[in-house]
Amino acid sequence: MARLTRLCVPGWPHLLLQAGHNRQPVFLDDADRHLFVELLQSAASTHGVAIHAYALLDNEVRLLATPSGSDSLSLMMQAVGRRYGSSFNRRHAHTGSLWEGRFRATVIEPERHLLACMRYVDQAPPDDVQGTGLEQQAWSSAAHHLGERVDPLVSDHLLYWSLGNTPFEREAAYRTLLQHALTPTEVASISDAVKKGWPLGSAGFLAQLSGSTARRLAPLPRGRPRKSTN
């Protein structure tokens, strides 16, 4: 069966995952992470992608971003992946592919899921036993959203701004959100959507997207089609 094309709808936020090959580490030190952020910032600007949230985990990159064109995400990730992979292999005497195939992505309904997806990106992963707290996470957008630093990579989404009328109000409101972990059901829903590439949103949202793409927006029913009785 032919693989579905990746869904990329300009103007809507998307959640992206790019994992290391066989879940192997893709960042071994801070120099690696510095380079990746620099490359991502340059490629996002070149290809018209607004980055709303990001996290550089040891073996995975998580991004929340809005593309301006139908190929913006692919062009950005290809540019970053090639240059970063080449540098990583040189620095660490690594051979072979660094990444686990193509990146995964899902378009999300912002009113229902954007803040949850921001938390999915900004919160420390469950197995991060060496984490030092969200405020100290230098390699995610959490510190930016909490007012700990201004991150030039991040373009705040309007729904983040809706959390308060002042920076202090927004940061305090988001801090409260981050203090509560996503439920297992929320994590499973987000993870399943991004890995399978189906939009994350209501039936009305899918109907709205259907006018922007010819790609199927939901999996086909399982089993053989029913025979007509006519």
Side-chain angles (χ1 to χ4, degrees), residues 110-134:
E111 290 78 9
R112 285 176 175 255
H113 298 290
L114 184 124
L115 291 176
C117 287
M118 278 184 62
R119 291 161 63 197
Y120 179 81
V121 173
D122 278 342
Q123 285 177 332
D127 58 353
D128 184 16
V129 295
Q130 296 180 340
T132 56
L134 291 168

Side-chain angles (χ1 to χ4, degrees), residues 47-210:
H47 299 294
V49 179
I51 305 294
H52 308 306
Y54 72 93
L56 309 186
L57 311 182
D58 285 347
N59 61 4
E60 180 180 274
V61 176
R62 298 182 182 183
L63 300 174
L64 182 62
T66 296
S68 61
S70 60
D71 59 353
S72 295
L73 294 180
S74 293
L75 291 172
M76 178 186 75
M77 296 301 288
Q78 288 168 10
V80 175
R82 284 196 298 265
R83 294 186 62 187
Y84 179 77
S86 176
S87 173
F88 183 95
N89 286 351
R90 287 196 305 271
R91 291 192 68 237
H92 302 296
H94 180 271
T95 59
S97 175
L98 178 63
W99 304 107
E100 187 178 60
R102 65 178 192 167
F103 69 92
R104 309 290 184 90
T106 181
V107 58
I108 64 173
E109 183 176 7
E111 290 78 9
R112 285 176 175 255
H113 298 290
L114 184 124
L115 291 176
C117 287
M118 278 184 62
R119 291 161 63 197
Y120 179 81
V121 173
D122 278 342
Q123 285 177 332
D127 58 353
D128 184 16
V129 295
Q130 296 180 340
T132 56
L134 291 168
E135 294 85 346
Q136 286 74 43
Q137 285 190 1
W139 302 110
S140 83
S141 51
H144 172 90
H145 294 130
L146 295 173
E148 301 294 330
R149 72 168 188 267
V150 176
D151 193 327
L153 176 57
V154 178
S155 298
D156 292 326
H157 193 276
L158 288 177
L159 283 175
Y160 171 76
W161 279 71
S162 72
L163 291 175
N165 293 324
T166 67
F168 177 80
E169 289 178 355
R170 291 189 288 273
E171 293 153 10
Y174 192 66
R175 185 181 298 273
T176 299
L177 288 176
L178 284 187
Q179 288 171 348
H180 297 86
L182 294 169
T183 68
T185 299
E186 288 174 315
V187 172
S189 176
I190 293 171
S191 178
D192 188 65
V194 71
K195 289 177 180 178
K196 294 181 179 178
W198 301 117
L200 184 60
S202 64
F205 178 62
L206 267 61
Q208 188 174 2
L209 287 182
S210 65

